């Protein structure tokens, strides 16, 4: 049975490492737990894929919650996770919904080149 989210961006069936980022951190795509995570799983960015409401365009990647263990904060790890998620959205033609405050208030202001991918936020939509 196909348990992938709809619309399916054809995720890998199990956690799969992507290329190391420029920081040397490997981000793993884990569709079973709907997260982008570090290889040890301790830092992660959870997502939810929302189908297009119009049915005529692509869906959205709702970035919901970022977590980095206290001992690893302030090193840019959350930014690396966000970059991987935005790369994924771009690759799969998904709009990004920046529900997580780290994404909306820190990552996007510091990385404005990703703003064109951003759709209406959950907060702006009053959800
Ligand atoms: N919302 C927005 N920005 C936040 C934030 C929050 N809740 N918490 C911290 N930040 C900012 C800080 O201002 C910091 O800025 P600085 O570089 O000027 O000090 C910046 O994030 C650090 O960026 P980065 O190093 O890439 O992040 P990180 O790897 O330290 O992780 C969090 C940041 C938010 C993921 C981490 O602090 C955490 O897990 N916090 C608890 C969970 C949480 O609040 N998640 C965000 C809401 S979903």
């Amino acid at each position: 049975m196909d348990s992938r989210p709809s619309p399916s961006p054809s995720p890998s069936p199990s956690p799969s490492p992507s290329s190391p980022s420029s920081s040397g951190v490997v981000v793993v795509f884990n569709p079973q737990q709907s997260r982008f995570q570090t290889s040890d799983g301790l830092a992660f960015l959870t997502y939810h894929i929302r189908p297009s409401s119009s049915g005529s365009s692509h869906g959205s990647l709702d970035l919901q919650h970022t977590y980095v263990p206290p001992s690893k904060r302030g090193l840019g790890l959350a930014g690396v996770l966000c970059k991987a998620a935005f790369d994924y959205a771009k690759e799969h033609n998904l709009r990004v919904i920046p529900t997580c405050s780290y994404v909306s208030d820190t990552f996007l202001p510091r990385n404005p080149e990703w703003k064109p991918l951003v759709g209406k936020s959950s907060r702006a939509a009053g959800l």
Side-chain angles (χ1 to χ4, degrees):
M1 191 177 80
D2 187 349
S3 60
R4 293 176 296 183
S6 178
S8 171
S10 301
S12 306
S14 59
S16 55
S18 63
S19 301
S21 69
S22 56
S23 64
V25 175
V26 173
V27 178
V28 176
F29 178 58
N30 182 351
Q32 280 79 17
Q33 292 185 284
S34 299
R35 17 165 100 165
F36 298 86
Q37 63 186 47
T38 49
S39 49
D40 61 9
L42 295 178
F44 54 83
L45 169 55
T46 62
Y47 68 84
H48 179 71
I49 292 180
R50 299 181 182 277
S52 164
S53 52
S54 69
S56 59
S57 58
H58 294 285
S60 300
L61 183 68
D62 187 348
L63 300 180
Q64 300 188 318
H65 181 63
T66 314
Y67 178 81
V68 171
S71 64
K72 295 185 176 176
R73 289 179 190 170
L75 303 175
L77 207 44
V80 173
L81 293 168
C82 289
K83 167 83 166 49
F86 274 78
D87 275 338
Y88 182 91
K90 184 177 181 184
E91 187 181 339
H92 294 91
N93 291 316
L94 296 166
R95 305 285 291 173
V96 172
I97 302 175
T99 298
C100 171
S101 64
Y102 174 83
V103 179
S104 61
D105 299 350
T106 298
F107 180 78
L108 282 168
R110 292 179 182 181
N111 300 274
E113 69 273 19
W114 289 111
K115 286 185 179 176
L117 252 64
V118 175
K120 191 164 57 174
S121 79
S122 299
R123 280 179 289 174
L127 298 176

